[in-house]
């Protein structure tokens, strides 16, 4: 059988540094576990603009379409802030999501025991936290039409965006969330603003219908998104799986991520519809941005990118055992006291990007030796 195809897009800022550590994990899987991928590398974001004059070349988009999964680092930076909107690095990322039809974004907020004290919340509030946020990714106000900036007759300027969802857009992301809930604690909370937005009314109605028709065994609750934001800070462990729209998901997933201590710890997966064989187009990326202020200094946290690779193994390549091995290695390294700058704590050992990668690969090797 042909090896599965994995496209690596390191991107901008610290993207290439953290991606190097993920590549080391891939190399270990090949050498020690006999797991091989057909790997390709290409450009996205500002790096692509510098070479091609666009944030994502058509040839790169074609490679992404042909891949079984895409692993992306980060895009953007002040160097490209003055570019026209259509050429900004982030447009490359949005094009990938849109043309691959990656409508469901999975954002786990998992607090490793060793990092519970690194959160800005009390230890007892976040210890043992394990929440999955499912964000609709290709609809809503980020893509709705009409949109733009116009000049009014009196000379004022007005910016406008349209929040819009269809039944199928809501139901397809809802199915992903319900299916995840079935594999976890069988609880799903849907968040919107049905009290003030017609799109929220539709969202609540369709989620309710979907639950009754296809997932009657899953406990479904509803919450206004502003209350959900407050509850995530007040008592985050009340939630298991949360499903919400593009805008609220963007905000809530970042909030949930910081409960764990650092965005540098958090992976994500963006999934498309399943084909006849059950395979999905997919892209995996760390939640953190390109952080150009620390790029090139070997101080960035590579864990989110390594855990994004772990999610790819689990959801795209049916390699749950190896995904578990990576996640256990990360947990063991943190329990041993190693920290990058973003998660540094008193009494722990501050290490570089590459040293953290060394330690994770070493733990994987030890787990293999231990059987």
């Amino acid at each position: 059988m042909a090896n599965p195809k994995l496209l690596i897009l390191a991107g901008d800022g610290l993207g290439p540094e953290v991606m190097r550590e993920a590549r080391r994990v891939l190399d270990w899987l090949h050498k020690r576990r006999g797991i091989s991928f057909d790997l390709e590398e290409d450009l996205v974001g500002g790096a692509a603009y510098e070479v091609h004059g666009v944030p994502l070349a058509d040839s790169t988009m074609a490679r992404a379409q042909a891949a079984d999964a895409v692993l992306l680092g980060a895009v953007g930076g002040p160097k490209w802030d003055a570019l026209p909107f259509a050429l900004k690095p982030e447009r490359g990322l949005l094009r990938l999501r849109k043309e691959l039809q990656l409508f469901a974004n999975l954002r786990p907020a998992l607090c490793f025991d060793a990092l519970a004290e690194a959160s800005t919340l009390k230890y007892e509030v976040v210890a043992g936290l394990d929440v999955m946020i499912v964000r609709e990714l290709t609809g809503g106000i980020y893509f709705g039409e009409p949109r733009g900036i116009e000049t009014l007759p009196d000379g004022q300027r007005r910016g406008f965006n349209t929040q819009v969802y269809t039944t199928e857009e809501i139901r397809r992301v809802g199915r992903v969330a319900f299916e995840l809930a079935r594999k976890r604690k069988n609880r799903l909370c849907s968040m919107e603003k049905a009290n003030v937005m017609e799109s929220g009314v539709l969202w609540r109605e369709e989620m309710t219908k979907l639950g009754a028709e296809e997932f009657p065994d899953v406990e479904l609750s509803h919450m206004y998104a502003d209350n959900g934001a407050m509850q995530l800070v007040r008592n985050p462990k009340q939630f298991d799986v949360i499903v919400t729209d593009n805008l609220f998901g963007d905000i809530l997933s970042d909030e949930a991520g910081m409960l764990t201590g650092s965005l540098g710890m958090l992976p994500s997966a963006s999934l498309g519809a399943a084909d006849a064989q059950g395979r999905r187009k997919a892209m995996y990326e760390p939640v953190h941005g390109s952080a150009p202020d620390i790029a090139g200094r070997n101080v960035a946290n590579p864990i989110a990118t390594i855990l994004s690779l772990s999610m790819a193994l689990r959801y795209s390549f049916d390699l749950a055992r190896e995904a578990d091995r990576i996640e256990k290695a990360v947990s063991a390294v943190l329990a041993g006291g190693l920290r990058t700058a973003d998660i540094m704590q008193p009494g722990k050992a501050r290490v570089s990007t590459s040293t953290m990668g060394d330690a994770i690969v070493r733990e994987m090797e030890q787990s293999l030796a231990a059987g």
Side-chain angles (χ1 to χ4, degrees):
M1 294 178 62
N3 292 330
K5 296 180 179 179
L6 178 62
L7 175 63
I8 293 178
L9 303 174
D12 308 320
L14 55 72
E17 294 172 76
V18 294
M19 193 62 73
R20 276 195 294 271
E21 304 311 312
R23 285 294 304 267
R24 294 175 64 195
V25 174
L26 283 168
D27 290 342
W28 185 91
L29 290 171
H30 173 65
K31 293 175 183 176
R32 301 293 286 136
R33 301 293 294 154
I35 297 170
S36 298
F37 298 93
D38 285 341
L39 294 177
E40 289 189 305
E41 296 190 61
D42 214 325
L43 303 174
V44 69
Y49 175 81
E50 295 299 322
V51 175
H52 302 294
V54 291
L56 188 75
D58 290 344
S59 58
T60 310
M61 189 68 243
R63 281 181 165 183
Q65 292 283 10
D68 294 299
V70 177
L71 183 62
L72 185 142
V75 297
K79 179 178 180 180
W80 303 286
D81 283 350
L83 288 175
F85 183 74
L87 296 178
K88 288 185 179 295
E90 293 77 11
R91 303 307 297 177
L93 175 60
L94 292 177
R95 182 184 176 189
L96 283 164
R97 291 173 177 171
K98 190 69 174 179
E99 295 191 22
L100 291 175
Q101 300 182 47
L102 306 177
F103 61 84
N105 182 226
L106 278 55
R107 293 272 297 265
L110 175 65
C111 187
F112 289 92
D113 290 342
L115 291 182
E117 292 181 350
S119 173
T120 53
L121 272 66
K122 294 178 180 178
Y123 176 89
E124 59 269 22
V125 173
V126 297
L129 178 66
D130 183 2
V131 175
M132 177 70 78
I133 296 183
V134 180
R135 166 191 173 190
E136 199 289 321
L137 202 58
T138 58
I141 202 164
Y142 290 172
F143 294 97
E145 298 287 348
R147 61 186 296 157
I149 299 174
E150 63 183 5
T151 301
L152 301 176
D154 64 0
Q156 293 188 77
R157 300 173 74 213
R158 177 171 66 183
F160 54 96
N161 296 84
T162 303
Q163 167 80 345
V164 56
Y165 274 106
T166 64
T167 296
E168 182 52 33
E169 285 177 321
I170 296 169
R171 290 174 73 92
R172 67 182 184 178
V173 74
R175 287 190 184 95
V176 172
F178 275 109
E179 288 167 1
L180 277 171
R182 271 182 172 167
K183 295 175 182 178
R184 290 168 56 98
K185 298 179 181 178
N186 231 39
R187 291 188 290 113
L188 176 63
C189 181
S190 175
M191 295 189 184
E192 24 62 15
K193 285 288 289 179
N195 54 336
V196 292
M197 299 171 68
E198 284 79 4
S199 61
V201 173
L202 180 66
W203 184 281
R204 182 172 291 212
E205 290 176 352
E206 293 300 334
M207 285 293 175
T208 301
K209 291 177 185 176
L210 179 63
E213 293 168 3
E214 300 182 22
F215 303 93
D217 55 310
V218 177
E219 178 188 335
L220 174 66
S221 61
H222 303 275
M223 188 175 289
Y224 296 142
D226 52 346
N227 183 36
M230 184 269 287
Q231 293 293 336
L232 273 171
V233 176
R234 175 180 172 271
N235 179 22
K237 286 186 282 189
Q238 69 183 281
F239 300 111
D240 183 42
V241 180
I242 296 170
V243 62
T244 188
D245 74 6
N246 205 341
L247 175 61
F248 296 138
D250 195 354
I251 297 167
L252 292 170
S253 57
D254 273 11
E255 180 190 18
M258 280 309 300
L259 301 179
T260 69
S262 171
L263 289 178
M265 291 293 301
L266 299 179
S268 75
S270 299
L271 307 178
D275 62 18
Q277 289 73 44
R279 310 297 292 184
R280 300 174 182 268
K281 295 289 187 184
M283 182 166 65
Y284 301 87
E285 58 183 303
V287 169
H288 61 67
S290 61
D293 55 319
I294 62 170
R297 294 168 49 191
N298 197 29
V299 298
N301 188 344
I303 290 177
T305 305
I306 291 172
L307 291 178
S308 294
L309 172 59
S310 172
M311 291 186 79
L313 298 179
R314 187 178 304 280
Y315 293 112
S316 286
F317 301 119
D318 297 323
L319 294 169
R321 183 178 179 184
E322 302 306 329
D324 289 343
R325 189 187 306 276
I326 293 171
E327 291 162 15
K328 289 176 181 177
V330 169
S331 182
V333 167
L334 294 173
L338 297 190
R339 302 285 187 273
T340 46
D342 60 312
I343 54 173
M344 187 59 190
Q345 297 169 279
K348 306 302 181 183
R350 179 169 173 170
V351 298
S352 66
T353 307
S354 55
T355 301
M356 181 62 80
D358 288 339
I360 292 170
V361 172
R362 186 166 55 248
E363 283 291 340
M364 293 171 64
E365 182 67 25
Q366 290 177 358
S367 73
L368 184 61

